[in-house]
Amino acid sequence: IVQEYNSNCPAPNRNCVYISLLDSVKLPKAILPSGLRTTIYHTIVRSYLRVVGDLGFATAHIYTCPPRRGQNYIFPHKPDQQKEISLTRLRQWYAELLTRAAMGPDAAIQGYVTIADAYPNATMLQIPYFDGDNWPDIIEDIL
């Protein structure tokens, strides 16, 4: 699920995209080996980032927290053998994706940082607010 804020949007959301979640169902290895699943998802996300960059979007934000135990985002039923991903592993998965997206002559992005590094001394009015998603709930809990 993504949100796109074009040049008509007020700052700080102007020209940015927000990837709020990715969800997947682990298929049997005979249908889709685990290594291919990651490759496919990484390719989709890198391609999306390249396209929105070409369309003039300057920044992308990705929500990198896994669902809570028993919570599903898009697919309501997952195989029992599908493990729930930890926060550490999910962040590592995104770091691998973004590192590869920033490599080579056809890089999809210029680089990436954490939200804390992107907005080190920002006020709440300087940090993008993605209404209707997890991010505003987190900000409101902090406040």
Side-chain angles (χ1 to χ4, degrees), residues 42-43 45-54 57 97-111:
H42 279 196
T43 301
V45 175
R46 281 195 317 267
S47 298
Y48 174 74
L49 292 172
R50 181 175 292 112
V51 168
V52 294
D54 290 346
F57 291 92
L97 180 157
L98 296 171
T99 298
R100 293 192 71 196
M103 293 172 53
D106 63 338
I109 62 173
Q110 294 176 2

Side-chain angles (χ1 to χ4, degrees), residues 31-116:
I31 296 172
L32 183 65
S34 297
L36 285 180
R37 184 169 155 228
T38 294
T39 300
I40 290 168
Y41 269 86
H42 279 196
T43 301
I44 291 169
V45 175
R46 281 195 317 267
S47 298
Y48 174 74
L49 292 172
R50 181 175 292 112
V51 168
V52 294
D54 290 346
L55 293 173
F57 291 92
T59 60
H61 295 78
I62 302 174
Y63 184 75
T64 60
C65 292
R68 288 180 226 104
R69 182 171 296 282
Q71 178 187 31
N72 292 306
Y73 285 142
I74 298 172
F75 300 110
H77 303 288
K78 296 186 179 166
D80 292 336
Q81 71 273 15
Q82 183 167 339
K83 297 176 186 173
E84 294 180 1
I85 193 165
S86 70
L87 176 60
T88 301
R89 177 63 190 117
L90 184 61
R91 287 186 176 166
Q92 178 185 1
W93 188 89
Y94 276 112
E96 292 167 3
L97 180 157
L98 296 171
T99 298
R100 293 192 71 196
M103 293 172 53
D106 63 338
I109 62 173
Q110 294 176 2
Y112 70 97
V113 296
T114 67
I115 196 146

